PDB file of all heavy atoms in Angstrom:
ATOM      1  N   MET A 116      86.102 -33.192 -21.169  1.00 98.00           N
ATOM      2  CA  MET A 116      87.197 -33.131 -20.232  1.00 98.00           C
ATOM      3  C   MET A 116      86.677 -33.551 -18.837  1.00 98.00           C
ATOM      4  O   MET A 116      87.335 -34.293 -18.102  1.00 98.00           O
ATOM      5  CB  MET A 116      87.784 -31.675 -20.169  1.00 98.00           C
ATOM      6  CG  MET A 116      89.195 -31.625 -19.787  1.00 98.00           C
ATOM      7  SD  MET A 116      90.203 -32.390 -21.090  1.00 98.00           S
ATOM      8  CE  MET A 116      91.763 -32.328 -20.303  1.00 98.00           C
ATOM      9  N   GLY A 117      85.483 -32.996 -18.472  1.00 98.00           N
ATOM     10  CA  GLY A 117      84.940 -33.355 -17.174  1.00 98.00           C
ATOM     11  C   GLY A 117      84.547 -34.811 -17.090  1.00 98.00           C
ATOM     12  O   GLY A 117      84.940 -35.560 -16.214  1.00 98.00           O
ATOM     13  N   GLY A 118      83.700 -35.234 -18.086  1.00 98.00           N
ATOM     14  CA  GLY A 118      83.164 -36.587 -18.016  1.00 98.00           C
ATOM     15  C   GLY A 118      84.189 -37.677 -18.169  1.00 98.00           C
ATOM     16  O   GLY A 118      84.237 -38.663 -17.407  1.00 98.00           O
ATOM     17  N   ALA A 119      85.087 -37.509 -19.132  1.00 98.00           N
ATOM     18  CA  ALA A 119      86.102 -38.504 -19.354  1.00 98.00           C
ATOM     19  C   ALA A 119      87.072 -38.637 -18.178  1.00 98.00           C
ATOM     20  O   ALA A 119      87.447 -39.777 -17.757  1.00 98.00           O
ATOM     21  CB  ALA A 119      86.930 -38.175 -20.643  1.00 98.00           C
ATOM     22  N   THR A 120      87.423 -37.509 -17.575  1.00 98.00           N
ATOM     23  CA  THR A 120      88.354 -37.521 -16.463  1.00 98.00           C
ATOM     24  C   THR A 120      87.638 -38.204 -15.205  1.00 98.00           C
ATOM     25  O   THR A 120      88.280 -39.000 -14.488  1.00 98.00           O
ATOM     26  CB  THR A 120      88.830 -36.111 -16.087  1.00 98.00           C
ATOM     27  OG1 THR A 120      89.269 -35.497 -17.325  1.00 98.00           O
ATOM     28  CG2 THR A 120      89.886 -36.101 -15.055  1.00 98.00           C
ATOM     29  N   MET A 121      86.361 -37.883 -15.015  1.00 98.00           N
ATOM     30  CA  MET A 121      85.610 -38.557 -13.972  1.00 98.00           C
ATOM     31  C   MET A 121      85.585 -40.068 -14.211  1.00 98.00           C
ATOM     32  O   MET A 121      85.754 -40.851 -13.236  1.00 98.00           O
ATOM     33  CB  MET A 121      84.137 -38.105 -13.984  1.00 98.00           C
ATOM     34  CG  MET A 121      83.825 -36.759 -13.438  1.00 98.00           C
ATOM     35  SD  MET A 121      83.969 -36.659 -11.673  1.00 98.00           S
ATOM     36  CE  MET A 121      82.510 -37.455 -11.058  1.00 98.00           C
ATOM     37  N   ALA A 122      85.317 -40.443 -15.433  1.00 98.00           N
ATOM     38  CA  ALA A 122      85.165 -41.906 -15.775  1.00 98.00           C
ATOM     39  C   ALA A 122      86.475 -42.617 -15.455  1.00 98.00           C
ATOM     40  O   ALA A 122      86.491 -43.667 -14.846  1.00 98.00           O
ATOM     41  CB  ALA A 122      84.718 -42.057 -17.204  1.00 98.00           C
ATOM     42  N   LEU A 125      86.826 -42.856 -11.642  1.00 98.00           N
ATOM     43  CA  LEU A 125      85.848 -43.712 -10.895  1.00 98.00           C
ATOM     44  C   LEU A 125      85.875 -45.136 -11.332  1.00 98.00           C
ATOM     45  O   LEU A 125      85.301 -45.997 -10.650  1.00 98.00           O
ATOM     46  CB  LEU A 125      84.420 -43.160 -11.176  1.00 98.00           C
ATOM     47  CG  LEU A 125      84.047 -41.851 -10.482  1.00 98.00           C
ATOM     48  CD1 LEU A 125      82.628 -41.429 -10.968  1.00 98.00           C
ATOM     49  CD2 LEU A 125      84.041 -41.974  -9.006  1.00 98.00           C
ATOM     50  N   ILE A 134      79.082 -44.813 -20.189  1.00 98.00           N
ATOM     51  CA  ILE A 134      79.267 -43.450 -20.718  1.00 98.00           C
ATOM     52  C   ILE A 134      78.396 -43.320 -21.953  1.00 98.00           C
ATOM     53  O   ILE A 134      78.536 -44.083 -22.892  1.00 98.00           O
ATOM     54  CB  ILE A 134      80.749 -43.197 -21.135  1.00 98.00           C
ATOM     55  CG1 ILE A 134      81.665 -43.483 -19.936  1.00 98.00           C
ATOM     56  CG2 ILE A 134      80.948 -41.781 -21.697  1.00 98.00           C
ATOM     57  CD1 ILE A 134      83.142 -43.561 -20.348  1.00 98.00           C
ATOM     58  N   LEU A 135      77.443 -42.382 -21.902  1.00 98.00           N
ATOM     59  CA  LEU A 135      76.611 -42.083 -23.077  1.00 98.00           C
ATOM     60  C   LEU A 135      77.154 -40.906 -23.811  1.00 98.00           C
ATOM     61  O   LEU A 135      77.232 -39.815 -23.257  1.00 98.00           O
ATOM     62  CB  LEU A 135      75.179 -41.806 -22.669  1.00 98.00           C
ATOM     63  CG  LEU A 135      74.433 -42.930 -21.871  1.00 98.00           C
ATOM     64  CD1 LEU A 135      73.091 -42.417 -21.428  1.00 98.00           C
ATOM     65  CD2 LEU A 135      74.262 -44.166 -22.713  1.00 98.00           C
ATOM     66  N   GLU A 136      77.543 -41.056 -25.099  1.00 98.00           N
ATOM     67  CA  GLU A 136      78.155 -39.957 -25.853  1.00 98.00           C
ATOM     68  C   GLU A 136      77.352 -39.788 -27.133  1.00 98.00           C
ATOM     69  O   GLU A 136      77.113 -40.740 -27.842  1.00 98.00           O
ATOM     70  CB  GLU A 136      79.594 -40.347 -26.138  1.00 98.00           C
ATOM     71  CG  GLU A 136      80.250 -39.532 -27.239  1.00 98.00           C
ATOM     72  CD  GLU A 136      80.292 -38.004 -26.972  1.00 98.00           C
ATOM     73  OE1 GLU A 136      80.751 -37.614 -25.881  1.00 98.00           O
ATOM     74  OE2 GLU A 136      79.851 -37.288 -27.884  1.00 98.00           O
ATOM     75  N   ARG A 137      76.991 -38.527 -27.419  1.00 98.00           N
ATOM     76  CA  ARG A 137      76.139 -38.269 -28.601  1.00 98.00           C
ATOM     77  C   ARG A 137      76.923 -38.485 -29.901  1.00 98.00           C
ATOM     78  O   ARG A 137      76.363 -38.843 -30.941  1.00 98.00           O
ATOM     79  CB  ARG A 137      75.511 -36.901 -28.570  1.00 98.00           C
ATOM     80  CG  ARG A 137      76.497 -35.789 -28.799  1.00 98.00           C
ATOM     81  CD  ARG A 137      75.858 -34.404 -28.530  1.00 98.00           C
ATOM     82  NE  ARG A 137      75.206 -33.870 -29.754  1.00 98.00           N
ATOM     83  CZ  ARG A 137      74.496 -32.700 -29.787  1.00 98.00           C
ATOM     84  NH1 ARG A 137      74.386 -32.021 -28.649  1.00 98.00           N
ATOM     85  NH2 ARG A 137      73.968 -32.287 -30.847  1.00 98.00           N
ATOM     86  N   TYR A 179      81.368 -32.539 -31.347  1.00 97.00           N
ATOM     87  CA  TYR A 179      80.716 -33.632 -30.665  1.00 97.00           C
ATOM     88  C   TYR A 179      81.348 -34.923 -31.118  1.00 97.00           C
ATOM     89  O   TYR A 179      80.923 -35.566 -32.079  1.00 97.00           O
ATOM     90  CB  TYR A 179      79.222 -33.611 -30.967  1.00 97.00           C
ATOM     91  CG  TYR A 179      78.494 -32.389 -30.450  1.00 97.00           C
ATOM     92  CD1 TYR A 179      77.667 -31.676 -31.284  1.00 97.00           C
ATOM     93  CD2 TYR A 179      78.610 -31.965 -29.169  1.00 97.00           C
ATOM     94  CE1 TYR A 179      76.969 -30.557 -30.842  1.00 97.00           C
ATOM     95  CE2 TYR A 179      77.977 -30.840 -28.705  1.00 97.00           C
ATOM     96  CZ  TYR A 179      77.140 -30.126 -29.567  1.00 97.00           C
ATOM     97  OH  TYR A 179      76.508 -28.984 -29.096  1.00 97.00           O
ATOM     98  N   PHE A 180      82.382 -35.319 -30.427  1.00 98.00           N
ATOM     99  CA  PHE A 180      83.107 -36.573 -30.677  1.00 98.00           C
ATOM    100  C   PHE A 180      83.348 -37.228 -29.306  1.00 98.00           C
ATOM    101  O   PHE A 180      83.250 -36.564 -28.284  1.00 98.00           O
ATOM    102  CB  PHE A 180      84.462 -36.304 -31.336  1.00 98.00           C
ATOM    103  CG  PHE A 180      84.408 -35.779 -32.717  1.00 98.00           C
ATOM    104  CD1 PHE A 180      84.684 -34.395 -32.968  1.00 98.00           C
ATOM    105  CD2 PHE A 180      84.037 -36.590 -33.746  1.00 98.00           C
ATOM    106  CE1 PHE A 180      84.593 -33.929 -34.269  1.00 98.00           C
ATOM    107  CE2 PHE A 180      83.952 -36.073 -35.080  1.00 98.00           C
ATOM    108  CZ  PHE A 180      84.249 -34.766 -35.286  1.00 98.00           C
ATOM    109  N   GLY A 182      85.492 -37.621 -26.567  1.00 98.00           N
ATOM    110  CA  GLY A 182      86.555 -36.673 -26.197  1.00 98.00           C
ATOM    111  C   GLY A 182      86.166 -35.211 -26.270  1.00 98.00           C
ATOM    112  O   GLY A 182      86.914 -34.315 -25.873  1.00 98.00           O
ATOM    113  N   GLY A 183      84.974 -34.978 -26.930  1.00 98.00           N
ATOM    114  CA  GLY A 183      84.376 -33.666 -26.925  1.00 98.00           C
ATOM    115  C   GLY A 183      85.286 -32.626 -27.571  1.00 98.00           C
ATOM    116  O   GLY A 183      86.048 -32.919 -28.477  1.00 98.00           O
ATOM    117  N   ASN A 184      85.185 -31.385 -27.063  1.00 98.00           N
ATOM    118  CA  ASN A 184      85.905 -30.257 -27.661  1.00 98.00           C
ATOM    119  C   ASN A 184      87.422 -30.425 -27.525  1.00 98.00           C
ATOM    120  O   ASN A 184      88.220 -29.841 -28.303  1.00 98.00           O
ATOM    121  CB  ASN A 184      85.505 -28.929 -27.030  1.00 98.00           C
ATOM    122  CG  ASN A 184      84.168 -28.499 -27.581  1.00 98.00           C
ATOM    123  OD1 ASN A 184      84.060 -28.287 -28.773  1.00 98.00           O
ATOM    124  ND2 ASN A 184      83.143 -28.373 -26.767  1.00 98.00           N
ATOM    125  N   ALA A 308      90.807 -35.622 -23.853  1.00 98.00           N
ATOM    126  CA  ALA A 308      89.860 -36.363 -22.992  1.00 98.00           C
ATOM    127  C   ALA A 308      89.634 -37.789 -23.529  1.00 98.00           C
ATOM    128  O   ALA A 308      89.292 -38.652 -22.719  1.00 98.00           O
ATOM    129  CB  ALA A 308      88.529 -35.602 -22.908  1.00 98.00           C
ATOM    130  N   VAL A 330      71.579 -37.718 -25.138  1.00 98.00           N
ATOM    131  CA  VAL A 330      70.758 -37.619 -23.895  1.00 98.00           C
ATOM    132  C   VAL A 330      69.735 -36.504 -24.089  1.00 98.00           C
ATOM    133  O   VAL A 330      70.118 -35.390 -24.494  1.00 98.00           O
ATOM    134  CB  VAL A 330      71.674 -37.419 -22.671  1.00 98.00           C
ATOM    135  CG1 VAL A 330      70.806 -37.130 -21.450  1.00 98.00           C
ATOM    136  CG2 VAL A 330      72.572 -38.642 -22.480  1.00 98.00           C
ATOM    137  N   LEU A 333      66.646 -36.046 -17.988  1.00 98.00           N
ATOM    138  CA  LEU A 333      66.766 -36.869 -16.825  1.00 98.00           C
ATOM    139  C   LEU A 333      65.429 -36.970 -16.174  1.00 98.00           C
ATOM    140  O   LEU A 333      64.666 -36.003 -16.102  1.00 98.00           O
ATOM    141  CB  LEU A 333      67.795 -36.255 -15.789  1.00 98.00           C
ATOM    142  CG  LEU A 333      69.134 -35.793 -16.376  1.00 98.00           C
ATOM    143  CD1 LEU A 333      69.981 -35.191 -15.276  1.00 98.00           C
ATOM    144  CD2 LEU A 333      69.842 -36.924 -17.088  1.00 98.00           C
ATOM    145  N   VAL A 360      74.117 -40.357 -11.321  1.00 98.00           N
ATOM    146  CA  VAL A 360      74.175 -39.829 -12.682  1.00 98.00           C
ATOM    147  C   VAL A 360      75.129 -38.643 -12.670  1.00 98.00           C
ATOM    148  O   VAL A 360      75.068 -37.735 -11.857  1.00 98.00           O
ATOM    149  CB  VAL A 360      72.804 -39.342 -13.101  1.00 98.00           C
ATOM    150  CG1 VAL A 360      72.870 -38.625 -14.507  1.00 98.00           C
ATOM    151  CG2 VAL A 360      71.797 -40.503 -13.238  1.00 98.00           C
ATOM    152  N   ILE A 361      76.088 -38.667 -13.581  1.00 98.00           N
ATOM    153  CA  ILE A 361      77.027 -37.608 -13.762  1.00 98.00           C
ATOM    154  C   ILE A 361      76.793 -36.939 -15.106  1.00 98.00           C
ATOM    155  O   ILE A 361      76.870 -37.620 -16.126  1.00 98.00           O
ATOM    156  CB  ILE A 361      78.491 -38.083 -13.629  1.00 98.00           C
ATOM    157  CG1 ILE A 361      78.707 -38.618 -12.222  1.00 98.00           C
ATOM    158  CG2 ILE A 361      79.486 -36.955 -13.911  1.00 98.00           C
ATOM    159  CD1 ILE A 361      79.796 -39.597 -12.073  1.00 98.00           C
ATOM    160  N   LEU A 362      76.438 -35.661 -15.074  1.00 99.00           N
ATOM    161  CA  LEU A 362      76.062 -34.983 -16.350  1.00 99.00           C
ATOM    162  C   LEU A 362      77.347 -34.151 -16.746  1.00 99.00           C
ATOM    163  O   LEU A 362      77.809 -33.348 -15.936  1.00 99.00           O
ATOM    164  CB  LEU A 362      74.906 -34.074 -16.058  1.00 99.00           C
ATOM    165  CG  LEU A 362      74.373 -33.232 -17.236  1.00 99.00           C
ATOM    166  CD1 LEU A 362      73.980 -34.068 -18.379  1.00 99.00           C
ATOM    167  CD2 LEU A 362      73.149 -32.401 -16.760  1.00 99.00           C
ATOM    168  N   SER A 363      77.869 -34.375 -17.939  1.00 99.00           N
ATOM    169  CA  SER A 363      79.105 -33.755 -18.400  1.00 99.00           C
ATOM    170  C   SER A 363      78.976 -33.441 -19.881  1.00 99.00           C
ATOM    171  O   SER A 363      79.860 -33.890 -20.673  1.00 99.00           O
ATOM    172  CB  SER A 363      80.327 -34.659 -18.195  1.00 99.00           C
ATOM    173  OG  SER A 363      80.404 -35.054 -16.830  1.00 99.00           O
ATOM    174  N   ALA A 364      77.951 -32.746 -20.301  1.00 98.00           N
ATOM    175  CA  ALA A 364      77.728 -32.536 -21.724  1.00 98.00           C
ATOM    176  C   ALA A 364      78.277 -31.223 -22.186  1.00 98.00           C
ATOM    177  O   ALA A 364      78.014 -30.834 -23.354  1.00 98.00           O
ATOM    178  CB  ALA A 364      76.158 -32.570 -21.983  1.00 98.00           C
ATOM    179  N   GLY A 365      79.048 -30.515 -21.363  1.00 98.00           N
ATOM    180  CA  GLY A 365      79.565 -29.185 -21.737  1.00 98.00           C
ATOM    181  C   GLY A 365      78.578 -28.113 -21.160  1.00 98.00           C
ATOM    182  O   GLY A 365      77.451 -28.415 -20.906  1.00 98.00           O
ATOM    183  N   ALA A 366      79.102 -26.934 -20.990  1.00 98.00           N
ATOM    184  CA  ALA A 366      78.348 -25.883 -20.204  1.00 98.00           C
ATOM    185  C   ALA A 366      76.970 -25.615 -20.804  1.00 98.00           C
ATOM    186  O   ALA A 366      76.012 -25.595 -20.014  1.00 98.00           O
ATOM    187  CB  ALA A 366      79.180 -24.605 -20.124  1.00 98.00           C
ATOM    188  N   VAL A 367      76.856 -25.457 -22.047  1.00 98.00           N
ATOM    189  CA  VAL A 367      75.531 -25.158 -22.656  1.00 98.00           C
ATOM    190  C   VAL A 367      74.629 -26.389 -22.693  1.00 98.00           C
ATOM    191  O   VAL A 367      73.447 -26.347 -22.264  1.00 98.00           O
ATOM    192  CB  VAL A 367      75.694 -24.524 -24.020  1.00 98.00           C
ATOM    193  CG1 VAL A 367      74.328 -24.360 -24.716  1.00 98.00           C
ATOM    194  CG2 VAL A 367      76.315 -23.119 -23.866  1.00 98.00           C
ATOM    195  N   ASN A 368      75.157 -27.553 -23.120  1.00 98.00           N
ATOM    196  CA  ASN A 368      74.327 -28.708 -23.228  1.00 98.00           C
ATOM    197  C   ASN A 368      73.946 -29.277 -21.918  1.00 98.00           C
ATOM    198  O   ASN A 368      72.807 -29.813 -21.779  1.00 98.00           O
ATOM    199  CB  ASN A 368      75.033 -29.799 -24.127  1.00 98.00           C
ATOM    200  CG  ASN A 368      74.900 -29.412 -25.603  1.00 98.00           C
ATOM    201  OD1 ASN A 368      73.824 -29.244 -26.126  1.00 98.00           O
ATOM    202  ND2 ASN A 368      76.047 -29.269 -26.251  1.00 98.00           N
ATOM    203  N   SER A 369      74.786 -29.216 -20.903  1.00 98.00           N
ATOM    204  CA  SER A 369      74.376 -29.733 -19.572  1.00 98.00           C
ATOM    205  C   SER A 369      73.205 -28.873 -19.036  1.00 98.00           C
ATOM    206  O   SER A 369      72.200 -29.392 -18.513  1.00 98.00           O
ATOM    207  CB  SER A 369      75.540 -29.708 -18.634  1.00 98.00           C
ATOM    208  OG  SER A 369      76.413 -30.789 -18.843  1.00 98.00           O
ATOM    209  N   ALA A 370      73.324 -27.551 -19.167  1.00 98.00           N
ATOM    210  CA  ALA A 370      72.251 -26.677 -18.704  1.00 98.00           C
ATOM    211  C   ALA A 370      70.981 -26.970 -19.458  1.00 98.00           C
ATOM    212  O   ALA A 370      69.880 -27.015 -18.902  1.00 98.00           O
ATOM    213  CB  ALA A 370      72.660 -25.201 -18.798  1.00 98.00           C
ATOM    214  N   ILE A 372      70.044 -29.783 -20.880  1.00 98.00           N
ATOM    215  CA  ILE A 372      69.420 -31.058 -20.406  1.00 98.00           C
ATOM    216  C   ILE A 372      68.663 -30.855 -19.079  1.00 98.00           C
ATOM    217  O   ILE A 372      67.552 -31.361 -18.874  1.00 98.00           O
ATOM    218  CB  ILE A 372      70.517 -32.151 -20.316  1.00 98.00           C
ATOM    219  CG1 ILE A 372      70.995 -32.544 -21.695  1.00 98.00           C
ATOM    220  CG2 ILE A 372      69.980 -33.373 -19.588  1.00 98.00           C
ATOM    221  CD1 ILE A 372      72.256 -33.369 -21.769  1.00 98.00           C
ATOM    222  N   LEU A 373      69.261 -30.049 -18.156  1.00 98.00           N
ATOM    223  CA  LEU A 373      68.604 -29.847 -16.901  1.00 98.00           C
ATOM    224  C   LEU A 373      67.276 -29.095 -17.153  1.00 98.00           C
ATOM    225  O   LEU A 373      66.256 -29.435 -16.508  1.00 98.00           O
ATOM    226  CB  LEU A 373      69.481 -29.053 -15.942  1.00 98.00           C
ATOM    227  CG  LEU A 373      70.766 -29.767 -15.441  1.00 98.00           C
ATOM    228  CD1 LEU A 373      71.660 -28.818 -14.631  1.00 98.00           C
ATOM    229  CD2 LEU A 373      70.379 -30.967 -14.573  1.00 98.00           C
ATOM    230  N   GLN A 537      83.215 -21.810 -23.229  1.00 98.00           N
ATOM    231  CA  GLN A 537      81.933 -21.617 -22.499  1.00 98.00           C
ATOM    232  C   GLN A 537      82.018 -22.193 -21.097  1.00 98.00           C
ATOM    233  O   GLN A 537      82.603 -23.224 -20.876  1.00 98.00           O
ATOM    234  CB  GLN A 537      80.855 -22.322 -23.271  1.00 98.00           C
ATOM    235  CG  GLN A 537      81.090 -23.808 -23.439  1.00 98.00           C
ATOM    236  CD  GLN A 537      80.016 -24.493 -24.363  1.00 98.00           C
ATOM    237  OE1 GLN A 537      79.006 -24.956 -23.811  1.00 98.00           O
ATOM    238  NE2 GLN A 537      80.217 -24.517 -25.643  1.00 98.00           N
ATOM    239  N   VAL A 541      76.036 -23.719 -14.632  1.00 98.00           N
ATOM    240  CA  VAL A 541      75.476 -24.533 -13.522  1.00 98.00           C
ATOM    241  C   VAL A 541      76.569 -24.404 -12.438  1.00 98.00           C
ATOM    242  O   VAL A 541      77.179 -25.364 -12.031  1.00 98.00           O
ATOM    243  CB  VAL A 541      75.273 -26.033 -13.920  1.00 98.00           C
ATOM    244  CG1 VAL A 541      74.387 -26.712 -12.892  1.00 98.00           C
ATOM    245  CG2 VAL A 541      74.673 -26.170 -15.336  1.00 98.00           C
ATOM    246  N   CYS A 556      80.119 -30.363  -6.702  1.00 98.00           N
ATOM    247  CA  CYS A 556      79.370 -30.421  -7.980  1.00 98.00           C
ATOM    248  C   CYS A 556      78.167 -31.355  -7.936  1.00 98.00           C
ATOM    249  O   CYS A 556      77.704 -31.903  -8.946  1.00 98.00           O
ATOM    250  CB  CYS A 556      80.311 -30.834  -9.150  1.00 98.00           C
ATOM    251  SG  CYS A 556      81.371 -29.520  -9.633  1.00 98.00           S
ATOM    252  N   LEU A 564      72.830 -36.697  -8.300  1.00 98.00           N
ATOM    253  CA  LEU A 564      73.132 -36.016  -9.568  1.00 98.00           C
ATOM    254  C   LEU A 564      74.386 -35.105  -9.371  1.00 98.00           C
ATOM    255  O   LEU A 564      74.371 -34.250  -8.497  1.00 98.00           O
ATOM    256  CB  LEU A 564      71.977 -35.176 -10.036  1.00 98.00           C
ATOM    257  CG  LEU A 564      72.233 -34.289 -11.283  1.00 98.00           C
ATOM    258  CD1 LEU A 564      72.539 -35.067 -12.515  1.00 98.00           C
ATOM    259  CD2 LEU A 564      71.028 -33.388 -11.560  1.00 98.00           C
ATOM    260  N   PHE A 565      75.386 -35.326 -10.208  1.00 98.00           N
ATOM    261  CA  PHE A 565      76.564 -34.461 -10.223  1.00 98.00           C
ATOM    262  C   PHE A 565      76.722 -33.824 -11.615  1.00 98.00           C
ATOM    263  O   PHE A 565      76.406 -34.542 -12.600  1.00 98.00           O
ATOM    264  CB  PHE A 565      77.811 -35.315  -9.928  1.00 98.00           C
ATOM    265  CG  PHE A 565      77.865 -35.797  -8.477  1.00 98.00           C
ATOM    266  CD1 PHE A 565      77.102 -36.875  -8.112  1.00 98.00           C
ATOM    267  CD2 PHE A 565      78.670 -35.170  -7.549  1.00 98.00           C
ATOM    268  CE1 PHE A 565      77.138 -37.320  -6.774  1.00 98.00           C
ATOM    269  CE2 PHE A 565      78.705 -35.606  -6.243  1.00 98.00           C
ATOM    270  CZ  PHE A 565      77.938 -36.688  -5.842  1.00 98.00           C
ATOM    271  N   VAL A 566      77.104 -32.582 -11.674  1.00 99.00           N
ATOM    272  CA  VAL A 566      77.346 -31.930 -12.972  1.00 99.00           C
ATOM    273  C   VAL A 566      78.815 -31.536 -12.983  1.00 99.00           C
ATOM    274  O   VAL A 566      79.262 -30.739 -12.258  1.00 99.00           O
ATOM    275  CB  VAL A 566      76.420 -30.715 -13.183  1.00 99.00           C
ATOM    276  CG1 VAL A 566      76.637 -30.145 -14.597  1.00 99.00           C
ATOM    277  CG2 VAL A 566      74.931 -31.072 -12.974  1.00 99.00           C
ATOM    278  N   VAL A 567      79.573 -32.217 -13.885  1.00 98.00           N
ATOM    279  CA  VAL A 567      81.011 -32.034 -13.855  1.00 98.00           C
ATOM    280  C   VAL A 567      81.527 -31.762 -15.255  1.00 98.00           C
ATOM    281  O   VAL A 567      81.828 -32.626 -16.046  1.00 98.00           O
ATOM    282  CB  VAL A 567      81.687 -33.328 -13.287  1.00 98.00           C
ATOM    283  CG1 VAL A 567      83.179 -33.023 -13.086  1.00 98.00           C
ATOM    284  CG2 VAL A 567      81.085 -33.745 -11.969  1.00 98.00           C
ATOM    285  N   ASP A 568      81.565 -30.467 -15.531  1.00 99.00           N
ATOM    286  CA  ASP A 568      82.159 -29.979 -16.829  1.00 99.00           C
ATOM    287  C   ASP A 568      82.390 -28.484 -16.608  1.00 99.00           C
ATOM    288  O   ASP A 568      82.325 -28.009 -15.475  1.00 99.00           O
ATOM    289  CB  ASP A 568      81.287 -30.315 -18.027  1.00 99.00           C
ATOM    290  CG  ASP A 568      79.825 -29.809 -17.863  1.00 99.00           C
ATOM    291  OD1 ASP A 568      79.620 -28.815 -17.170  1.00 99.00           O
ATOM    292  OD2 ASP A 568      78.906 -30.411 -18.467  1.00 99.00           O
ATOM    293  N   ALA A 569      82.564 -27.728 -17.721  1.00 99.00           N
ATOM    294  CA  ALA A 569      82.877 -26.284 -17.537  1.00 99.00           C
ATOM    295  C   ALA A 569      81.752 -25.472 -16.947  1.00 99.00           C
ATOM    296  O   ALA A 569      81.981 -24.358 -16.530  1.00 99.00           O
ATOM    297  CB  ALA A 569      83.191 -25.717 -18.958  1.00 99.00           C
ATOM    298  N   SER A 570      80.602 -26.112 -16.844  1.00 98.00           N
ATOM    299  CA  SER A 570      79.450 -25.317 -16.296  1.00 98.00           C
ATOM    300  C   SER A 570      79.607 -24.960 -14.800  1.00 98.00           C
ATOM    301  O   SER A 570      79.024 -24.038 -14.309  1.00 98.00           O
ATOM    302  CB  SER A 570      78.147 -26.025 -16.491  1.00 98.00           C
ATOM    303  OG  SER A 570      78.156 -27.299 -15.825  1.00 98.00           O
ATOM    304  N   PHE A 571      80.445 -25.696 -14.046  1.00 98.00           N
ATOM    305  CA  PHE A 571      80.506 -25.455 -12.613  1.00 98.00           C
ATOM    306  C   PHE A 571      81.285 -24.138 -12.279  1.00 98.00           C
ATOM    307  O   PHE A 571      81.187 -23.630 -11.193  1.00 98.00           O
ATOM    308  CB  PHE A 571      81.195 -26.630 -11.849  1.00 98.00           C
ATOM    309  CG  PHE A 571      82.738 -26.538 -11.818  1.00 98.00           C
ATOM    310  CD1 PHE A 571      83.339 -25.897 -10.716  1.00 98.00           C
ATOM    311  CD2 PHE A 571      83.509 -27.028 -12.833  1.00 98.00           C
ATOM    312  CE1 PHE A 571      84.734 -25.826 -10.684  1.00 98.00           C
ATOM    313  CE2 PHE A 571      84.886 -26.885 -12.827  1.00 98.00           C
ATOM    314  CZ  PHE A 571      85.514 -26.306 -11.739  1.00 98.00           C
ATOM    315  N   ILE A 584      88.923 -27.895 -15.316  1.00 99.00           N
ATOM    316  CA  ILE A 584      87.746 -28.811 -15.358  1.00 99.00           C
ATOM    317  C   ILE A 584      88.219 -30.214 -15.030  1.00 99.00           C
ATOM    318  O   ILE A 584      87.551 -30.947 -14.243  1.00 99.00           O
ATOM    319  CB  ILE A 584      87.180 -28.816 -16.813  1.00 99.00           C
ATOM    320  CG1 ILE A 584      86.706 -27.368 -17.209  1.00 99.00           C
ATOM    321  CG2 ILE A 584      86.020 -29.775 -16.938  1.00 99.00           C
ATOM    322  CD1 ILE A 584      86.408 -27.209 -18.709  1.00 99.00           C
ATOM    323  N   ALA A 588      87.127 -32.466 -11.816  1.00 99.00           N
ATOM    324  CA  ALA A 588      86.574 -33.837 -11.985  1.00 99.00           C
ATOM    325  C   ALA A 588      87.302 -34.830 -11.051  1.00 99.00           C
ATOM    326  O   ALA A 588      86.662 -35.670 -10.426  1.00 99.00           O
ATOM    327  CB  ALA A 588      86.712 -34.251 -13.446  1.00 99.00           C
ATOM    328  N   VAL A 591      86.066 -34.200  -7.501  1.00 98.00           N
ATOM    329  CA  VAL A 591      84.737 -34.720  -7.252  1.00 98.00           C
ATOM    330  C   VAL A 591      84.749 -36.264  -7.205  1.00 98.00           C
ATOM    331  O   VAL A 591      84.108 -36.868  -6.364  1.00 98.00           O
ATOM    332  CB  VAL A 591      83.738 -34.210  -8.352  1.00 98.00           C
ATOM    333  CG1 VAL A 591      82.406 -34.885  -8.235  1.00 98.00           C
ATOM    334  CG2 VAL A 591      83.627 -32.665  -8.313  1.00 98.00           C
TER     335      VAL A 591
END
Side-chain angles (χ1 to χ4, degrees):
M116 208 67 187
T120 310
M121 283 290 282
L125 288 176
I134 304 169
L135 299 176
E136 165 58 52
R137 72 188 272 176
Y179 297 131
F180 293 106
N184 283 299
V330 172
L333 311 180
V360 173
I361 295 157
L362 181 58
S363 305
V367 170
N368 282 303
S369 283
I372 290 168
L373 293 174
Q537 59 184 270
V541 196
C556 285
L564 172 64
F565 291 77
V566 184
V567 187
D568 55 27
S570 61
F571 87 93
I584 301 166
V591 172

